[in-house]
Amino acid sequence: MDLAFDIIPDERLKDAVLRLSGNAQAEITRAGAYSLYVLVRRHVNRYSRAHHASADNLGAEHTGHLEEGSRAIVPPADNVLSIPIPGFQRVFKDLEISPRTAKALTIPINRVAYGKRAPRLQSEGWRLFTVSTRGGGPGGGILFGRRGEDSAATALYALSKSVRVRQDRSMLPSDEDMQRAAAKGVANAILRRSR
Amino acid sequence: MARPEDILRVKALLPTTLGSEEIRERIAADILRRSVFSARMASAPYLADLREVLVQYASGEVNRADATLALTRSLEQLGHSPMDGNAITNPASQQRLDLILKTNRQMAASVARIEAQTPDTLDDFPGWELMRFSGRRVPREDWHRRWAAAGDAVGWQGAARHTGEYPEWSFIALKSSPIWAALGSGAGGFRDTLGNPYPPFAFGSGLDWDDVERDRCEELGLLQPGEQVTLGKASLAPDAAEVADMEKRYGFDAGEDA
């Protein structure tokens, strides 16, 4: 997800920067963007290390999806910060997730399935089969698995036509904190050039 | 400025029958940094698939579950199966695929981070702190020894001796300090490093760099007020000629935003 920021929202600062050469403008924008990136990366990592409810509820090993994603955030060259974390858009709005090619979403309900696609489990030797639940939700059903003919069937995934994930604005710092960070980087860069 | 996915996209394929120890001993670290390889993986088509998946994973286009599935399918065509066990020696094991995906993504991000440094950013944030970004079930507890060995190896140039004990430790050095290269080379005899002067500093490590503000670096005595830090380029990043060559070969524009 790409986040575009107004690195220099203050009109007087913007005027001062616009009077400088194109190179200097780009450098100052980049300095502000870098300060913003440092704040955002720290915040996303702190958030990620405190949010493992899905895995913990299943007793599953953490995938580290958000933690690893925060490590992958890199400084931007301009005012667009890229957050390479699938689904991060929910910082700004609820997400309605539907299957891209399959008939239903597979939502892990067992730690064995957590962090893995159903075909991967099949490759690991699981035989998967569905049992429709009477009165289940839209497209509802359970994907069971059995590993080895003598083993008991295990409920692995809940099937659903779609899932709504609620917005969580706290995945990013506040707008004020982000503006303050960018402004600090910009101000420092301007001061350095006026010495 | 190259993004991690661009850095991965231009890596050369390095099919090899060598094991990881032999790779480390026989192939120069600089070549490894510029290559997509996997221990005892001689299939160039699989490495090409791996490179493409790494690009998608690094950009956030796919998550790790989807990346793992794509690689599983590619490996199955070569006769490799997760059913052969979860040891790291099995190319199709979850353990192996996780390590490859995470390590390559992190390395590319580290290089992009180094490449992004400018005189302004080095003035505002002249240091890096090595800290835990990703939790581990069984974290290494010898980082203070690694840091001490690396620091001793370079005479603590630009680096602060560690403070605190795990997990309240503190490993801070200037971005220009040679301690980072010493840490990555396994100073002190550590054999699980990757030979890079940037994170990850050991296989499967959950530690990464966080920027350190100038005030803190000055408090630690790492530099004087007004003193400037300069940084060399990371050798993983392609130069302009290499990017142009890859653009011609693969038909993409590394300079355009997605």
Side-chain angles (χ1 to χ4, degrees):
Chain A
M1 187 184 78
D2 285 343
L3 299 175
F5 292 94
D6 186 359
I7 296 293
I8 317 175
D10 184 282
E11 287 304 320
R12 286 171 305 172
L13 260 184
K14 200 173 279 188
D15 285 341
V17 172
L18 285 174
R19 280 189 234 119
L20 300 172
S21 71
N23 256 1
Q25 289 176 36
E27 287 167 4
I28 289 170
T29 299
R30 200 159 161 179
Y34 194 95
S35 292
L36 174 65
Y37 139 81
V38 171
L39 174 75
V40 168
R41 184 167 177 254
R42 278 178 188 159
H43 181 96
V44 173
N45 185 254
R46 264 200 310 270
Y47 173 95
S48 68
R49 301 197 66 200
H51 288 77
H52 291 292
S54 303
D56 290 343
N57 288 342
L58 294 176
E61 193 163 329
H62 300 164
T63 61
H65 160 71
L66 287 178
E67 289 171 3
E68 297 298 329
S70 72
R71 294 177 74 170
I73 300 172
V74 299
D78 48 31
N79 67 320
V80 179
L81 179 63
S82 183
I83 312 281
I85 301 174
F88 200 81
Q89 296 89 330
R90 71 183 176 103
V91 69
F92 293 125
K93 57 181 182 177
D94 291 357
L95 287 188
E96 191 77 35
I97 302 173
S98 311
R100 282 168 297 196
T101 52
K103 289 181 192 163
L105 295 173
T106 47
I107 299 153
I109 53 175
N110 186 292
R111 62 184 183 85
V112 165
Y114 191 75
K116 293 186 183 179
R117 292 284 176 249
R120 168 73 194 187
L121 280 191
Q122 287 177 306
S123 293
E124 291 179 5
W126 287 85
R127 188 171 68 80
L128 304 181
F129 52 97
T130 54
V131 174
S132 291
T133 57
R134 191 177 299 170
I142 304 287
L143 190 57
F144 284 85
R146 181 176 277 126
R147 200 176 188 189
E149 283 310 312
D150 298 330
S151 64
T154 306
L156 294 174
Y157 299 97
L159 302 173
S160 181
K161 286 279 189 226
S162 70
V163 156
R164 188 176 198 87
V165 183
R166 288 197 187 285
Q167 180 195 4
D168 184 353
R169 180 61 184 82
S170 69
M171 294 171 78
L172 273 180
S174 68
D175 290 345
E176 293 75 22
D177 283 349
M178 289 195 290
Q179 275 171 19
R180 202 173 300 125
K184 188 174 179 189
V186 165
N188 284 348
I190 291 174
L191 275 172
R192 270 189 288 271
R193 282 156 180 78
S194 61
R195 281 187 203 135
Chain B
M1 190 184 80
R3 290 184 295 192
E5 54 267 34
D6 299 326
I7 289 167
L8 287 162
R9 192 178 276 126
V10 299
K11 282 194 170 195
L13 305 182
L14 184 65
T16 181
T17 55
L18 300 178
S20 52
E21 194 67 27
E22 293 163 296
I23 288 172
R24 184 192 154 100
E25 283 167 8
R26 296 207 216 162
I27 304 179
D30 201 50
I31 292 175
L32 295 177
R33 276 178 214 131
R34 293 164 174 266
S35 306
V36 171
F37 66 92
S38 186
R40 301 198 196 284
M41 176 50 66
S43 167
Y46 169 69
L47 292 176
D49 286 346
L50 174 59
R51 181 173 56 196
E52 182 52 34
V53 168
L54 285 171
V55 167
Q56 293 171 346
Y57 180 52
S59 69
E61 189 183 331
V62 301
N63 61 26
R64 203 159 76 244
D66 288 325
T68 300
L69 181 58
L71 294 176
T72 302
R73 288 187 166 140
S74 184
L75 285 163
E76 279 171 345
Q77 291 178 21
L78 297 173
H80 294 291
S81 165
M83 300 266 292
D84 297 334
N86 200 35
I88 201 116
T89 46
N90 176 10
S93 70
Q94 186 74 49
Q95 206 190 151
R96 174 86 166 256
L97 293 175
D98 278 352
L99 183 66
I100 288 173
L101 288 166
K102 285 191 216 177
T103 301
N104 278 279
R105 188 190 201 193
Q106 289 151 16
M107 282 172 53
S110 289
V111 170
R113 204 158 284 125
I114 293 171
E115 286 291 300
Q117 300 305 309
T118 66
D120 285 307
T121 67
L122 288 169
D123 205 56
D124 284 337
F125 303 98
W128 267 306
E129 179 171 8
L130 187 65
M131 54 189 291
R132 183 160 293 288
F133 266 70
S134 306
R136 291 290 181 266
R137 257 185 308 127
V138 185
R140 287 180 175 87
E141 291 183 12
D142 58 6
W143 282 105
H144 59 288
R145 280 191 279 119
R146 291 170 187 256
W147 188 254
D152 286 341
V154 302
W156 293 99
Q157 194 181 330
R161 291 174 194 269
H162 89 280
T163 59
E165 292 299 326
Y166 178 84
E168 275 80 42
W169 59 33
S170 176
F171 302 132
I172 297 176
L174 295 180
K175 291 178 178 177
S176 56
S177 172
I179 197 171
W180 302 117
L183 195 65
S185 299
F190 294 95
R191 301 289 295 163
D192 59 351
T193 63
L194 286 84
N196 298 320
Y198 45 75
F201 286 108
F203 280 109
S205 170
L207 304 194
D208 214 311
W209 276 335
D210 185 28
D211 286 78
V212 181
E213 283 81 350
R214 185 173 190 93
D215 288 350
R216 193 155 174 219
C217 290
E218 288 179 8
E219 272 168 26
L220 289 169
L222 295 179
L223 76 172
Q224 299 302 310
E227 187 180 345
Q228 298 297 309
V229 167
T230 54
L231 200 62
K233 291 230 177 260
S235 67
L236 177 56
D239 60 27
E242 285 166 309
V243 171
D245 178 54
M246 288 297 163
E247 283 174 356
K248 207 163 54 171
R249 271 204 257 165
Y250 296 112
F252 69 91
D253 184 344
E256 250 180 25
D257 290 332

